[in-house]
Amino acid sequence: MAAIKSSSISHFILTTFFYFLILSPPPILVLGLNITTLLSSFPELSDFNSLLSSTTSVATDLTQRSSVTLLVVPNSFLSTSDDLTRHRLSPSSLADVLRYHVLLEFMSWSDLRSIPASGKLVTTLFQTTGRATDNFGSVNITRDPTTGLVSIRSPAPYSPSNATVLSLIKTLPYNVSIFSVNSLLIPYGFDLMASETRPPLGLNITKALIDGHNFNVAASMLAASGVVQEFEADEGGAGITLFIPTDSAFADLPGTVSLQSLPADKKAVILKFHVLHSYYPLGSLQSIVNPLQPTLATEAMGAGSFTLNISRVNGSVGINTGIVQAEVTQTVSDQNPVAIFGVSEVLLPIEYFGKNPVLRSKPGGPAVSGAPPPEISDSPESSPGLNGPSSHLLSPPGSHEEIRSGAAIHVSQSIAIALCCIALYLMVRKHNLAPQMDGLDSEKL
């Protein structure tokens, strides 16, 4: 019986050992993709790279991705495409066109060669914005079995926008692939003429706030700063969404936070921090796909900075700046392409006010959570004739060290567990053999 029991324990230890070795999850590697730096080594892609560099919101989105395939249009083909030259797109509309060229999965040359005759539907970065109709933020990739040509088009029937893959520009295995295509891709239903033909809304944001009551402080700050004119000028294209603190939100600011004493440029950035460069009605905010949203301040100050984390909290819309947690309390105005919402707190950026939570100044007021926004993450062969830069360009300084450190920690943990299991196994084994050895000694005697 002792032998059976010991054998069962040994079996359990071995099972546990292999469980930890095989099923222990590997570290998740998230790389900050510096696509514009990578493309800068290819002069023939300079025009497309300039478009990417000018849209910081797209650059921000790319830094959150670990595996993408980018479709780029060479200068010679971009100059012949009149989609951008004939129409003066707003920055937000241009950003959505570029997002349509980012496929949210890694695809190598061999992957393209193995595309089935029926084609393959691949999601793009544009689909994640929530502004695409149905699945028209995806692309359908097909391959002609006779010629081997790979074509990319909208999944919508009779879509006039399509492109053919020309060559592989650069690939880093399972991280990023860059292919050149012979035409700019335009999402189905995307109206390039919208900014030219849509009559201006003529919304007076300041007046809308005054009429909404309880927004007098914000109205006066907007009028004095001059940024309200910028907001109204941005109504075209994808529109804008404003989060306006109530008068009581300003009154509840602690004495250590003095907005009026800030320089005019910083005050303007804080006001822009309250604005998204897209129109989101309340329903869209409640079901937003990518919670980490760039603001107008992001466009002014650089990719990855001055972002808002938007999520559904207790049936309402929560907005987290990293040091302030606010809620949408009311809809002031919602008329496409402008949405204005009242919020319970002044949205203070962590870049200006540090990492400590900002507490309400009124006695008994609830402290605001200072938890930083969670990191968002979703969810490559050599170029035939083009030599790209080394892979370190895809990550900001230190990112590879952090990845290696995380992997090293994971391996160390696995080794420690394995050694513990082996030690336990040997102890049980020794305990199991001890009676047998005693028996042998007795027989010898």
Side-chain angles (χ1 to χ4, degrees), residues 195-211:
S195 59
E196 298 177 353
T197 59
R198 181 165 57 195
L201 180 63
L203 176 65
N204 186 319
I205 293 176
T206 305
K207 183 177 184 302
L209 294 177
I210 294 174
D211 291 345

Side-chain angles (χ1 to χ4, degrees), residues 294-310:
T295 64
L296 290 189
T298 305
E299 299 182 11
M301 304 303 289
S305 63
F306 295 91
T307 57
L308 295 175
N309 193 326
I310 300 175

Side-chain angles (χ1 to χ4, degrees), residues 101-168:
H101 291 71
V102 181
L103 312 185
L104 297 186
E105 66 177 80
F106 166 77
M107 302 189 73
S108 64
W109 256 127
S110 57
D111 292 329
L112 293 184
R113 293 191 189 105
S114 61
I115 293 289
S118 58
K120 178 179 180 179
L121 197 65
V122 181
T123 302
T124 74
L125 192 57
F126 175 54
Q127 182 74 36
T128 68
T129 64
R131 292 188 289 275
T133 304
D134 297 328
N135 67 338
F136 294 158
S138 302
V139 293
N140 189 35
I141 305 178
T142 57
R143 179 177 177 272
D144 189 320
T146 304
T147 63
L149 290 177
V150 177
S151 299
I152 303 173
R153 65 176 65 245
S154 167
Y158 313 112
S159 172
S161 180
N162 63 84
T164 300
V165 174
L166 299 173
S167 64
L168 176 64

Side-chain angles (χ1 to χ4, degrees), residues 25-250:
I28 299 174
L29 307 183
V30 178
L31 304 178
L33 301 178
N34 193 337
I35 294 293
T36 56
T37 300
L38 183 62
L39 291 179
S40 64
S41 298
F42 303 98
E44 68 275 20
L45 305 175
S46 59
D47 291 347
F48 191 90
N49 196 27
S50 295
L51 294 175
L52 274 178
S53 301
S54 66
T55 52
T56 56
S57 57
V58 178
T60 300
D61 290 340
L62 283 172
T63 60
Q64 303 166 17
R65 305 292 164 177
S66 58
S67 297
V68 297
T69 297
L70 179 65
L71 308 175
V72 299
V73 186
N75 298 346
S76 56
F77 290 96
L78 193 61
S79 61
T80 59
S81 175
D82 61 358
D83 292 319
L84 294 182
T85 56
R86 280 196 304 111
H87 309 299
R88 298 182 61 186
L89 294 181
S90 68
S92 56
S93 298
L94 173 61
D96 280 346
V97 170
L98 294 176
R99 288 186 180 101
Y100 198 54
H101 291 71
V102 181
L103 312 185
L104 297 186
E105 66 177 80
F106 166 77
M107 302 189 73
S108 64
W109 256 127
S110 57
D111 292 329
L112 293 184
R113 293 191 189 105
S114 61
I115 293 289
S118 58
K120 178 179 180 179
L121 197 65
V122 181
T123 302
T124 74
L125 192 57
F126 175 54
Q127 182 74 36
T128 68
T129 64
R131 292 188 289 275
T133 304
D134 297 328
N135 67 338
F136 294 158
S138 302
V139 293
N140 189 35
I141 305 178
T142 57
R143 179 177 177 272
D144 189 320
T146 304
T147 63
L149 290 177
V150 177
S151 299
I152 303 173
R153 65 176 65 245
S154 167
Y158 313 112
S159 172
S161 180
N162 63 84
T164 300
V165 174
L166 299 173
S167 64
L168 176 64
I169 299 297
K170 185 66 180 177
T171 184
L172 297 173
Y174 317 115
N175 180 203
V176 61
S177 283
I178 302 176
F179 292 94
S180 63
V181 294
N182 67 349
S183 177
L184 200 69
L185 291 164
I186 306 299
Y188 179 80
F190 194 89
D191 189 3
L192 290 175
M193 299 292 291
S195 59
E196 298 177 353
T197 59
R198 181 165 57 195
L201 180 63
L203 176 65
N204 186 319
I205 293 176
T206 305
K207 183 177 184 302
L209 294 177
I210 294 174
D211 291 345
H213 307 293
N214 200 27
F215 298 100
N216 297 301
V217 176
S220 119
M221 287 184 66
L222 285 170
S225 66
V227 295
V228 69
Q229 286 80 12
E230 293 183 39
F231 297 168
E232 291 172 351
D234 283 333
E235 292 172 4
I240 56 173
T241 300
L242 296 89
F243 301 112
I244 306 298
T246 61
D247 289 341
S248 59
F250 282 101

Side-chain angles (χ1 to χ4, degrees), residues 375-391:
E375 294 181 0
I376 305 301
S377 59
D378 282 276
S379 30
E381 305 180 288
S382 298
S383 169
L386 290 173
N387 295 319
S390 60
S391 62

